[in-house]
Structures are given as C-alpha cells and as structure tokens.
Amino acid sequence: MISKSELRKTARTPTRLDKVDKAGASLSGRAYQQIRDEILRGDLSIGDVLSRRRLAKRLNMSFLPITEALKVLETEGLVESRPRIGTRVRVPNEQDIRDSNVIREALESQAARLSAQNMTAEDKKQLRTSARHLDQLQKMCAREHADSRFLFSVHTYHMEFHMRIAELSRSPGLRRAIEKEQVLIFNWLYDIAANQRTLPEGFHSTLAEALCSGDPLVADTAMRVHVQYGLDQVLERLANYDGGDAWRLKSTKS
Amino acid sequence: MISKSELRKTARTPTRLDKVDKAGASLSGRAYQQIRDEILRGDLSIGDVLSRRRLAKRLNMSFLPITEALKVLETEGLVESRPRIGTRVRVPNEQDIRDSNVIREALESQAARLSAQNMTAEDKKQLRTSARHLDQLQKMCAREHADSRFLFSVHTYHMEFHMRIAELSRSPGLRRAIEKEQVLIFNWLYDIAANQRTLPEGFHSTLAEALCSGDPLVADTAMRVHVQYGLDQVLERLANYDGGDAWRLKSTKS
DNA sequence: TTAACAATCATGATATATCAGAGATAAACC
DNA sequence: GGTTTATCTCTGATATATCATGATTGTTAA
C-alpha cells in the first residue's frame, strides 16, 4: 500500500504544471500559463468556449496579451479558433487521436532507446521503484471506484513516470517534444477515459525492465507496445463524444 | 542526366513553401507566411534582426499582425526574441542541432515503418524513381561547384523526397510534425553546410529499397542510418559559426 | 586617453478604440 | 404555423498610441 506522501517522494522532478519559466515575465506569458494550466487541470474541458474579453477581465489585463496567449496555444494544438466566431478548447476527432498516438510512439520509443544506453545503476533503481508504485496505484484504481481527486493524482504520477524516461534520454529537445505531445493528449484521455481501463499485471514494471536491459531495440519495442495499448478503447469512448460543430451556445464561463 | 523540367515532374506534391492555406486569410497569417518564406529561402539568414516596425512598413500593415506572426514563429523555433531587445532569426547551438536530429530520427523512422506497410506498387515505383534522380543530382553537386540556385533546388528536391515518405505514412499529423522539424533544420543545414558533403553511392536508392521491402523494422533501421549520416560534419561547421550574443549591430535590413 | 555618466533612440509590451463578419433573435410576411 | 428577413450583439482582427526598458552614443570629468 502506498501513501500519498510516499507517492510525492518518488516523483522528485517538478516537470509538469508547476514550471514558472521566464514565461511569467510578460502579461501574455502569464496568461498563457494560466489558461494552459486551467485546461490541463480540467477546469476548462473540451469544447469550452474561451472569450478573449471575458478572459481579459478575469485575468486583469487587456485582451491583447490574451490574444497572443491563445495564438500560441492554438499553434500548440490545445485550442482551436475560427475567425470572427470564437475560440474553444480543442475538440479532437478520431484522426487527431490516432496521429497523436503515432507521434507519441515515435518520440517515446526514441527516448526509450537513448535512455537504455544512458541509464546509471541509480537511475535504474529509481525507475524500477516508480514503476512498481505506479502498477500498484493503477491496480487500486481498477478495483474500487476512487474519487476523481485520487484518479487525477495517479494520472499525474503516470505522466511523471513517462517524463522521467524522457529526461533519461539526456536530450532536452526530445524531452520538450514529448512533454508537448503528452500535454496534447492529456486532457483528451483524461476527459474521455475517465475511469481507468484495467491494465496487464505489472504493466509498467515490464517496461522498466526493458529499459534497464540496456538494449536499445528491446527498450524501443517495449515502449511501442506500451503506447499502443488501449488506443482502441479510447477511440471507442471518443465516438460517443460529439461536440462537432456546435461552437456557440456552450458553457460560456470563461 | 536530368533536366529541371523532369525534376519538377517527379515532385508532384506541392508540399512545401507554396502552401496557401487558410493562413492567407488574415493579415497576421499573410505576415507569417511571408516571413517564414523569406527565412526558408535564405533571404533572411541566421541571426538577422527582425524589426517589427520595419517589417510592418515593408508588408504594408500595422505591426500588430507582425507581432502575432513572430510570436508563432517563435513557438515554432524559427526566430528567437528577447523582451525589449529584439527579434532575430534563431541561431542554433550544438545542442539544438543534436536535439533536432534526434527528433527527426524518431519521426522519420516512424514514417518509414508506416510507409513500408502502406505503400502500393505504384508508390514504390515512384519512390524508386525519385531516389534514383536524387542520387544523380547529388552526385552532380559533389563533382562540380554548381551555382547556389541549383544547390537550392536540389535541396528542395531532397526535402520533397522526405516529405513524400512522410505522406506515405498516411498519418497527416505525423506528416505535419515532420514538415515542421524539417523546416526547423532546413536553413541551418543549408546555411552551414552549403557545399554538399559527398554521400555514399546510391544513398537514397538504398533507403527507397528498404522502404519497398515492406518490413517495418528494415525501413526503420535504414531511415535511422540515413538521418544520422553526416551529423558530425554539420556540427563541425557550426562550431565556426559564432553569432552567440551579438544581438544588435547586425544587418538590420528588415 | 580613458572611464563614468547622461541623454537619446529603438525596441517589444501593452492599452484602448474601432472595424467587419458571423449567429442569434425576433418581428414581419406569406 | 412556418419561413424569411432585418437587426442586434457577440466575436476576433486590426490600427493607433503610449509605456518601460535596454542599447547606443555623445559628453564630461579624472
């Protein structure tokens, strides 16, 4: 059994929402961070309309910084905008999910290759521990219906596990790319596949072992299996989610 | 021997600079395209300073659309900006090149895998032809000192060859990602390794054959070899290129 | 001659104001 | 009652103006 404090202890790298960056320097940077966080936290869900003016009022700035922030978020694929109509949190279609998974497979298998070559004994020990914890946590999720708060924290832990591997590749650029792609599918998966699917026994431990083997090809293959798993379930759930062309008349809370 | 008209004929997909998109609709979209093209064409080279006001005057618009365009180009990694100091075409360091290559390897090997599975007989035939042409063209470049106009067109042809493979993966998202990464390193490589290095005999034909084999793993490996080749030479040339902290006092032509 | 300093200039960041287009709404017409 | 149309409000897009800050340059004092 794992307590929450223990959970935090293993995840030492603050690699997710809580990066302050130099982006906080400018107003547009702060707006970017704020909106991004709210999307990632789920405060804004898929399809929610983002009014520049309302956001400006809420964040205490003119809507020019907001516009820039949304522009960036749009190029990152987190929101979508149609001229003179509106901006909303992006609603992905099946192809988007598929593509995202293809790219994720490419990037993370590359990270697996590099990590397998670069890991120290200490790295391996930590990764094995994380994997074991994660497997236990997810088994708990599958068994009883945990509250969404707990589900979220497990999801966060899962994400950090993958980001750890990305870091072990020792390629900052690759890490950034993976983080971006993770972020992209983050809210999609989290929103749609809210109740975790059941995973094979020792799902992450197996992956960790493959990485620790030191063989790039083995690591690559294991990661591909890992990423591919469960794509179909997600797609199936997505099918029930519409939100296609309804742009206005949504919850216009922000 | 290959004529230029023949060269065009084989490259049927207009997948590069000349995309008009819906980006041309808005002023900021047009600005984005224009500036991007000029960087890619080499009219603006690495380190060149981009004054928003001058650009605004030159493109006949206020500098707000320019600002948005540069913001997007910045998130794409084509330009870099320091608050209240200036904006310039991005000057990559060694790590940037390395990372870019790692990502490119990941994405393109993935494309190779998928392509190997998806290609029709017709696709294979066309790809083989393109590869043969490309090999011939590059051999010509290596032999005599061709003019930069010709070098550029060969480089373009090379890029289109890779984009063809990206398209054969049948994953629009992957294609987009590859194009973006290609664009990123495009001007770097073109500027720095202006005179082509000599390539192994039948460099691209070998790759094409691997793809046509239909085996994902073979295709993957071949693509990795292809991408990796010559990275060191590029890095060596980059070392001679400084431009580190000199922000102002550059050619302030735009 | 050189080092410190101050004025000036250019830059990006931001605010405010205005514009044009798309949807929604409701009145008017058949 | 159902359909059309006019208007009204919302949106993002753009222009202009102003601000704070870093860079440059010219001046002055040692």
Side-chain angles (χ1 to χ4, degrees):
Chain A
M1 197 65 174
I2 300 174
S3 69
K4 251 185 189 170
S5 58
E6 223 177 321
L7 191 152
R8 281 280 150 234
K9 196 176 56 187
T10 324
R12 58 166 183 194
T13 47
T15 65
R16 243 180 12 75
L17 305 184
D18 25 26
K19 62 172 179 183
V20 182
D21 265 49
K22 65 277 179 183
S26 63
L27 283 184
S28 66
R30 264 192 284 157
Y32 166 79
Q33 264 190 256
Q34 178 75 25
I35 300 172
R36 184 171 178 271
D37 275 14
E38 288 185 11
I39 295 176
L40 261 50
R41 299 202 159 282
D43 297 343
L44 297 170
S45 14
I46 293 179
D48 276 358
V49 171
L50 303 170
S51 161
R52 286 155 146 84
R53 289 172 169 82
R54 254 187 292 276
L55 279 172
K57 200 180 296 177
R58 187 154 68 83
L59 301 185
N60 271 321
M61 54 185 79
S62 91
F63 74 67
L64 210 152
I66 303 288
T67 297
E68 291 196 351
L70 289 182
K71 195 98 187 175
V72 173
L73 288 170
E74 190 181 352
T75 68
E76 290 185 353
L78 273 179
V79 308
E80 51 191 347
S81 173
R82 268 160 51 170
R84 332 245 166 187
I85 296 188
T87 306
R88 65 174 184 180
V89 181
R90 182 169 166 200
V91 178
N93 57 30
E94 180 177 327
Q95 190 59 242
D96 291 330
I97 301 268
R98 279 224 154 75
D99 287 353
S100 193
N101 217 60
V102 166
I103 294 174
R104 193 180 157 215
E105 181 185 315
L107 296 175
E108 297 218 40
S109 63
Q110 178 79 315
R113 280 172 182 258
L114 296 176
S115 297
Q117 296 174 311
N118 289 333
M119 279 166 67
T120 68
E122 180 63 19
D123 289 335
K124 293 181 182 178
K125 190 178 153 202
Q126 288 188 353
L127 192 69
R128 284 197 175 99
T129 308
S130 289
R132 194 170 50 247
H133 285 186
L134 188 50
D135 284 336
Q136 289 177 20
L137 284 170
Q138 293 202 324
K139 201 186 287 181
M140 284 168 56
C141 287
R143 223 191 315 269
E144 69 232 61
H145 262 300
D147 64 329
S148 73
R149 202 84 198 137
F150 181 67
L151 277 178
F152 183 84
S153 84
V154 172
H155 194 102
T156 299
Y157 191 81
H158 184 202
M159 208 164 134
E160 279 170 358
F161 176 75
H162 279 268
M163 288 314 297
R164 175 86 61 92
I165 297 174
E167 268 169 21
L168 289 173
S169 74
R170 307 253 193 277
S171 172
L174 181 59
R175 200 215 99 126
R176 256 192 308 274
I178 290 177
E179 182 176 18
K180 194 168 170 179
E181 206 58 33
Q182 290 264 33
V183 161
L184 245 173
I185 56 176
F186 174 80
N187 53 81
W188 301 352
L189 299 187
Y190 186 66
D191 254 41
I192 293 163
N195 47 351
Q196 293 281 349
R197 58 190 181 279
T198 62
L199 297 173
E201 183 72 18
F203 191 47
H204 292 88
S205 295
T206 308
L207 175 60
E209 283 312 315
L211 287 171
C212 293
S213 78
D215 184 339
L217 266 174
V218 171
D220 179 298
T221 305
M223 181 60 90
R224 289 188 130 90
V225 170
H226 188 93
V227 171
Q228 206 98 52
Y229 188 87
L231 174 62
D232 292 337
Q233 280 111 317
V234 173
L235 286 176
E236 190 184 337
R237 285 180 196 278
L238 179 71
N240 303 336
Y241 197 101
D242 187 0
D245 275 349
W247 269 78
R248 218 52 89 68
L249 59 86
K250 281 274 190 174
S251 76
T252 318
K253 58 184 173 187
S254 287
Chain B
M1 198 64 173
I2 301 174
S3 69
K4 251 184 187 171
S5 59
E6 223 178 321
L7 190 153
R8 282 280 151 233
K9 194 176 57 187
T10 324
R12 56 163 184 196
T13 48
T15 66
R16 242 180 11 74
L17 305 184
D18 25 27
K19 63 174 178 184
V20 180
D21 265 53
K22 65 277 181 183
S26 64
L27 284 185
S28 65
R30 264 191 283 157
Y32 165 79
Q33 264 189 256
Q34 179 74 25
I35 300 171
R36 183 170 178 271
D37 275 14
E38 287 185 11
I39 295 176
L40 261 50
R41 298 204 159 280
D43 297 343
L44 299 170
S45 14
I46 293 179
D48 276 359
V49 172
L50 303 170
S51 161
R52 287 156 145 82
R53 289 172 220 277
R54 254 186 293 275
L55 280 171
K57 198 180 298 177
R58 187 154 67 83
L59 301 185
N60 271 321
M61 54 184 80
S62 90
F63 73 67
L64 211 152
I66 303 287
T67 297
E68 291 196 351
L70 289 182
K71 196 96 187 175
V72 173
L73 287 170
E74 190 181 351
T75 70
E76 290 185 352
L78 272 180
V79 308
E80 51 192 348
S81 171
R82 268 160 50 172
R84 330 235 166 195
I85 294 188
T87 306
R88 65 174 184 180
V89 182
R90 183 169 167 201
V91 177
N93 57 31
E94 180 178 325
Q95 189 59 241
D96 291 330
I97 300 270
R98 278 224 155 76
D99 287 353
S100 192
N101 217 60
V102 166
I103 294 174
R104 193 180 157 215
E105 181 186 316
L107 296 175
E108 297 218 38
S109 63
Q110 178 80 316
R113 280 172 182 257
L114 297 176
S115 297
Q117 295 174 311
N118 290 332
M119 278 166 67
T120 68
E122 180 63 18
D123 290 334
K124 292 181 183 180
K125 188 179 155 202
Q126 288 188 353
L127 192 69
R128 284 197 174 99
T129 307
S130 290
R132 193 170 52 247
H133 285 186
L134 189 49
D135 283 336
Q136 288 177 21
L137 285 170
Q138 292 200 325
K139 200 186 288 182
M140 283 168 57
C141 286
R143 223 193 312 270
E144 67 232 63
H145 263 298
D147 64 329
S148 71
R149 203 82 198 139
F150 182 66
L151 277 178
F152 183 85
S153 85
V154 171
H155 194 103
T156 298
Y157 191 80
H158 184 203
M159 210 164 133
E160 280 170 358
F161 176 75
H162 279 268
M163 288 313 299
R164 174 86 60 94
I165 297 174
E167 268 168 21
L168 289 174
S169 75
R170 306 253 194 279
S171 171
L174 181 60
R175 200 216 101 126
R176 256 193 308 274
I178 290 177
E179 182 176 20
K180 194 167 169 180
E181 206 58 32
Q182 290 263 33
V183 161
L184 244 173
I185 56 177
F186 175 79
N187 52 84
W188 301 352
L189 299 187
Y190 187 65
D191 253 40
I192 293 163
N195 46 351
Q196 294 280 349
R197 56 191 182 280
T198 62
L199 297 174
E201 184 72 19
F203 191 47
H204 292 89
S205 295
T206 308
L207 175 60
E209 283 313 314
L211 287 171
C212 292
S213 79
D215 184 339
L217 266 174
V218 171
D220 179 299
T221 306
M223 182 59 90
R224 288 189 130 90
V225 170
H226 188 92
V227 171
Q228 207 99 52
Y229 188 89
L231 174 63
D232 291 337
Q233 281 112 315
V234 173
L235 287 175
E236 190 184 338
R237 285 179 196 277
L238 179 70
N240 303 336
Y241 197 101
D242 187 0
D245 274 349
W247 268 81
R248 218 49 90 69
L249 60 86
K250 280 273 189 173
S251 75
T252 316
K253 57 184 173 186
S254 286

